[in-house]
Amino acid sequence: MMVINPLPLPNKIRFSLPFLYKPIRGGGGRSSCSAFTCHSVSSLTGFTWDDVVQASLPDYAPNDSSDLSGFFDKIKYCNRGSSEIKSEFIPLVIEDQIVGYIHNGFFDNYLRRFKDVFVFVPSDSRFGTNVTLNKTLSTPEERTRVVGKVIKCLAEEERELIPGIRNELYPVTPSFGSPPYFSLERAAAPYFGIKAYGVHMNGFVKRDGEKFLWIGKRSPMKQTFPGMLDHLVAGGLPHGMSCVANLIKECEEEAGIPLSLSNQAMSVGAVSYVDVDGYRYKRDVLFCYDLELPGDFIPKNQDGEVESFKLIPVENVANVIRRTHFFKPNCSLVIMDFLFRHGYISPECLGYLDLLQSLRSGDTS
């Protein structure tokens, strides 16, 4: 029988079960590699916090093997696409720079007819076959406006082609911090294979020598990954906004974290991945942040994108990642990075270096 007990905080405030739980533990310290053994549990449609709690228990899978395969599975899921599949994409070239990749089929079926916007180059001494924009579109503003009209047209003609249109622009640039050649609707970014960036924050609490992570459950009304587990705070990096400014904004909107706390978040690195699926070519870099929160802090969503939150021991969060597909896929990578940096995965674990390196499988430029 599973027993869940709310933990008292030092200031005598007690959280009820919707926020904090501490499952009965089966022993073993966090320095032991066996704390992170692999067991596969299928994702459930409409899973509950009770399902999350059950899968997180140390004794939920007593026959786990002592390896990191559950983590590697999540890395693999974020980096789909063989070299053969990637060869079906052709470079998007702007001003002699590759800024993206477009699937042959997507270009032929949807973009080729917009001849005043997109130009197919069958052979180029430098880039080979590629796609570029009409030379009459000479400024970032013109390109943004015209390509935006194409995206709107496609979305109106075929609603499911580019789902999740949100009127948020991503910069189209060959590398982070470079001046953008134009800006593109966020939902269309994978269809043009542009580099996309985001900020993800691990919000954690220390208590009695143990660390806990605040985990969010996405609203079932979200356009992408509805109802899945997520970080306390995360968001894509839109055009014209710095990482710090975006993080502070997301802290307030997603978790009600005031500036007095959010400005203490520490930049701790980045993870990256390349995921190719159908017409989509995702080249994402996620900037990672840590924020230690007061023991009595309770997140409160402000924008309707998070259904609820729960504070979970870090070891148990790791179990959920290894055993289930409850987390939004790229969140697993950021939490794995946290596990490395905070000593929850040690060199004694078989595959340590391979897993560490695989967290940056994509181009981090």
Side-chain angles (χ1 to χ4, degrees), residues 68-82:
L68 301 174
S69 59
F71 293 131
F72 278 110
D73 288 343
K74 304 308 181 294
I75 296 285
K76 184 177 181 180
Y77 186 83
C78 286
N79 290 276
R80 295 172 295 178
S82 64

Side-chain angles (χ1 to χ4, degrees), residues 109-308:
N109 295 329
Y110 299 103
L111 300 183
R112 185 183 288 275
R113 61 189 167 104
F114 296 96
K115 297 183 183 298
D116 292 338
V117 181
F118 299 100
V119 177
F120 179 76
V121 181
S123 180
D124 181 278
S125 59
R126 183 177 177 186
F127 303 109
T129 302
N130 67 85
V131 175
T132 187
L133 296 183
N134 194 301
K135 290 183 179 180
T136 61
L137 304 173
S138 58
T139 68
E141 292 76 18
E142 287 179 299
R143 296 165 183 158
T144 298
R145 178 179 58 82
V146 173
V147 174
K149 285 186 176 181
V150 171
I151 300 303
K152 182 178 179 181
C153 178
L154 293 176
E156 290 175 349
E157 289 179 357
E158 193 168 336
R159 183 174 297 179
E160 297 304 317
L161 177 62
I162 304 177
I165 298 290
R166 61 187 76 188
N167 299 314
E168 181 180 333
L169 297 177
Y170 272 6
V172 178
T173 175
S175 60
F176 182 70
S178 299
Y181 293 122
F182 67 100
S183 297
L184 180 68
E185 160 63 40
R186 174 177 177 171
Y191 296 86
F192 287 79
I194 69 168
K195 291 182 177 178
Y197 303 87
V199 293
H200 282 232
M201 191 185 80
N202 299 292
F204 70 98
V205 172
K206 290 180 182 177
R207 187 166 190 278
D208 296 332
E210 185 173 14
K211 291 177 183 175
F212 298 75
L213 278 170
W214 276 109
I215 301 299
K217 194 172 190 296
R218 295 163 69 88
S219 165
M221 305 307 294
K222 285 281 288 183
Q223 294 174 319
T224 57
F225 304 102
M228 299 191 76
L229 300 184
D230 205 335
H231 285 104
L232 177 62
V233 171
L237 188 61
H239 172 60
M241 183 173 288
S242 70
C243 289
V244 171
N246 192 37
L247 184 70
I248 290 173
K249 176 182 75 73
E250 295 291 347
C251 277
E252 171 60 31
E253 292 177 355
E254 296 194 346
I257 301 175
L259 178 62
S260 59
L261 289 177
S262 61
N263 64 11
Q264 298 177 37
M266 298 291 295
S267 172
V268 293
V271 300
S272 62
Y273 56 95
V274 178
D275 185 46
V276 181
D277 180 36
Y279 288 158
R280 298 179 295 277
Y281 198 128
K282 287 179 64 66
R283 300 191 295 152
D284 291 357
V285 176
L286 308 179
F287 295 104
C288 305
Y289 291 79
D290 284 356
L291 176 62
E292 183 176 353
L293 291 160
D296 60 351
F297 173 79
I298 300 177
K300 296 179 181 178
N301 179 247
Q302 307 295 314
D303 60 8
E305 295 189 356
V306 183
E307 180 183 75
S308 55

Side-chain angles (χ1 to χ4, degrees), residues 90-108:
I90 54 179
L92 172 62
V93 178
I94 308 293
E95 296 185 15
D96 291 326
Q97 295 288 328
I98 295 177
V99 296
Y101 294 90
I102 299 175
H103 192 277
N104 281 310
F106 185 71
F107 180 81
D108 289 339

